[in-house]
Amino acid sequence: MSLLTFLPFIVLIGAMFLMTRSAKKKQQQAANMRDSMQPGTGVRTIGGMYATVKEISDDTVLLEVAPGVHAVYAKNAIGAVLDDEEYNRIVHGDVPGEEIPAVPDDASSLTEGSDEGRVDLGKKDADAETAADAAEDETVSKDSKTDGEK
């Protein structure tokens, strides 16, 4: 038999070897991630629930899913171990470095010291425009009347 007949089998065995190798790498990375958990660490379960690790045993993890609410999960149910910054951003909505603006008690503090955006509401220019508009309206109304109307 020639080498050419065995070539498809060799390629198939090589592909299977590469696929199992990458799957083993992913399993090893997941195991290392789960081993890096410590009490106080934020995690996401494979179901998408965010919680804080309270206790770790051989096969299980005690998670605090809400203040005072604890649940026991299998270690394999932990989908991701999150760093503190990311956990606080997702769960509490905290954005590091961003300050929440203070809301003033009254509107006067919003306009103090800024004269740039002020609009002059005086009637100086408005009187001239109003007179011109009135004259134009009077002319139009006279032209639109029929001969019998005053």
Side-chain angles (χ1 to χ4, degrees):
M1 293 200 156
S2 76
L3 183 63
L4 202 53
T5 45
F6 289 115
L7 187 62
F9 295 113
I10 294 171
V11 170
L12 183 63
I13 291 171
M16 289 174 55
F17 173 75
L18 290 175
M19 285 190 293
T20 57
R21 185 174 154 213
S22 66
K24 283 183 181 180
K25 275 187 177 180
K26 286 182 183 179
Q27 287 176 348
Q28 185 64 35
Q29 286 175 343
N32 289 341
M33 180 232 1
R34 289 183 190 110
D35 290 338
S36 71
M37 285 187 300
Q38 297 175 356
T41 305
V43 296
R44 182 183 67 235
T45 65
I46 57 174
M49 183 178 62
Y50 292 91
T52 305
V53 176
K54 288 298 172 185
E55 292 179 15
I56 302 172
S57 64
D58 292 337
D59 295 331
T60 60
V61 179
L62 179 68
L63 300 179
E64 184 177 31
V65 295
V69 180
H70 296 86
V72 178
Y73 279 82
K75 269 191 177 179
N76 291 339
I78 305 300
V81 177
L82 308 171
D83 59 347
D84 290 337
E85 188 174 298
E86 183 179 5
Y87 179 77
N88 289 330
R89 180 184 58 82
I90 293 169
V91 175
H92 304 296
D94 296 344
V95 179
E98 181 180 305
E99 290 185 20
I100 298 172
V103 179
D105 291 338
D106 60 350
S108 64
S109 64
L110 297 174
T111 58
E112 288 177 0
S114 64
D115 292 336
E116 297 172 3
R118 292 195 178 200
V119 177
D120 185 19
L121 299 176
K123 294 189 176 188
K124 297 174 189 172
D125 297 326
D127 288 338
E129 288 180 27
T130 307
D133 289 342
E136 184 179 321
D137 289 342
E138 188 176 317
T139 309
V140 170
S141 65
K142 284 183 181 179
D143 293 339
S144 64
K145 293 183 181 178
T146 59
D147 292 334
E149 296 180 8
K150 290 187 179 180

